[in-house]
Amino acid sequence: KNIPVSENYQSPEFLSKTKSYETALSNLKDMLSGKQKLSVSHAYFEIENAHGDSYLNKQEFENIIKESVGFIKKWLAQNGYDLKSNEALHLGIQKFMGDTLTIISTSSDKTGTMKTTHLPFTYDYEDFKAEKDFRNYFLTKNLATGSGQCNSLPAVYLSLAEALGADAYLSFAPHHGFIKYPGD
């Protein structure tokens, strides 16, 4: 039985409001079909960006992931960890997310050294259920502010693991997400 499609679904207003969702769906389908590289972090970004009023644009998002991964790798190397060890990579992510870390780099003019300190992520107790602002559930909010909750913190962890090439899996329990990974 054919159900007639409402004219409302073809209105310019409806189509303009749903364009970002259609774009996200198309990009996700392209990832799943192999037309685009499969990426958990980019899938999160696509979904969150479709919602609108994102904390980060795509370039800012990619830069934060890249800079974070660079910091983690440098911290691991400076502390004598094997960058090919899955457990070491996870230690680096855990330290990055939960501790204050400092790395030493050559200054931009190459005449000395400089220290860079990263502060740990914090738990968002203000709106952890995202009742006031749904974006508080988002990975992009967590990356932009350093504050998240049981949905966004594991998403950030998984994105960092993906970018580092570490094996990790997102698991769920009621009202919580958490990361599992194989040991060496």
Side-chain angles (χ1 to χ4, degrees), residues 67-77 83 88-89 91-94 96-97 101 103 160 164:
E67 290 169 9
S68 298
V69 164
F71 187 99
I72 293 167
K73 284 181 175 180
K74 187 163 260 187
W75 183 86
L76 287 168
L83 295 175
L89 294 174
L91 173 68
I93 298 167
Q94 292 164 15
F96 182 79
M97 293 187 73
L101 301 180
I103 57 172
L160 293 172
L164 283 163

Side-chain angles (χ1 to χ4, degrees), residues 3-18:
I3 300 172
V5 175
S6 169
E7 290 179 22
N8 292 334
Y9 294 124
Q10 300 304 316
S11 73
E13 181 182 9
F14 179 82
L15 293 174
S16 72
K17 286 182 177 179
T18 59

Side-chain angles (χ1 to χ4, degrees), residues 104-107 111-115:
I104 298 170
S105 304
T106 305
S107 63
T111 60
T113 60
M114 59 183 226
K115 289 183 178 182

Side-chain angles (χ1 to χ4, degrees), residues 123-133 136-137 141 148-152 175-176:
Y123 195 87
D124 178 4
Y125 289 101
E126 297 296 316
D127 188 22
F128 63 92
K129 291 184 180 179
E131 294 172 328
K132 296 175 189 166
D133 184 351
N136 285 336
Y137 252 31
K141 182 262 186 184
Q149 35 58 338
C150 295
N151 183 66
S152 61
H175 305 289
H176 291 282

